[in-house]
Amino acid sequence: MTDPSGAGPRPVLTGRALALGAVVLLLVVLLAAPVNRYLTSRHTIGQAAQQLHDHKQQLAELAKQRDRWGDPGYIQQQARTRLQYAMPGDTVYVVVNQGQSSDIEKTSGVELAGPPGPSWTTRLMDSLHAAAK
């Protein structure tokens, strides 16, 4: 079958298609950098928002902790637990492993089972001297 107008087969790539392709390619080249910057900034904003959320949670926890340390009862509880302090009149029980001694037997006059050993301050100073060598 031939074309009735006699012009022959229609070309696949016309001037209009070539111009349209060139415009699309130009737009892709021109818009690649701004789109990349936009996507990068969105990612950075998302990370910053997550970091802000984490810091707000940490700040709230620190504020709770600050409020707890403002309570004298909490301070007393922490001193008893962490530092093993006792109030006057409290009965204190000390469990000592066999072969170890405690500072309590030296200060209270109570004889504990086992041979006396160096105090914790002596062990600390010995450790510091050994580390300095």
Side-chain angles (χ1 to χ4, degrees):
M1 283 180 63
T2 61
D3 193 7
S5 62
R10 199 165 171 204
V12 177
L13 190 62
T14 63
R16 285 183 186 176
L18 189 60
L20 181 63
V23 168
V24 168
L25 182 64
L26 180 66
L27 286 175
V28 167
V29 168
L30 289 177
L31 294 178
V35 168
N36 184 25
R37 263 186 261 125
Y38 173 75
L39 294 176
T40 303
S41 66
R42 294 298 301 166
H43 179 70
T44 304
I45 289 170
Q47 284 180 334
Q50 180 62 38
Q51 188 177 16
L52 178 64
H53 181 262
D54 293 344
H55 286 169
K56 282 184 178 180
Q57 284 181 337
Q58 185 181 11
L59 182 63
E61 180 60 35
L62 289 172
K64 286 179 190 177
Q65 193 175 24
R66 181 198 60 211
D67 293 341
R68 277 184 273 167
W69 280 103
D71 180 23
Y74 182 76
I75 293 173
Q76 184 180 13
Q77 175 196 13
Q78 292 300 310
R80 286 173 179 244
T81 304
R82 294 182 183 190
L83 304 175
Q84 300 176 354
Y85 282 6
M87 295 297 289
D90 286 350
T91 303
V92 179
Y93 296 96
V94 178
V95 178
V96 179
N97 293 335
Q98 187 175 8
Q100 294 180 347
S101 68
S102 173
D103 292 335
I104 293 176
E105 67 186 17
K106 296 172 190 158
T107 58
S108 66
V110 175
E111 185 66 32
L112 297 175
S119 68
W120 71 271
T121 54
T122 306
R123 291 191 315 264
L124 175 66
M125 292 308 292
D126 291 344
S127 174
L128 289 175
H129 289 299
K133 291 181 181 179

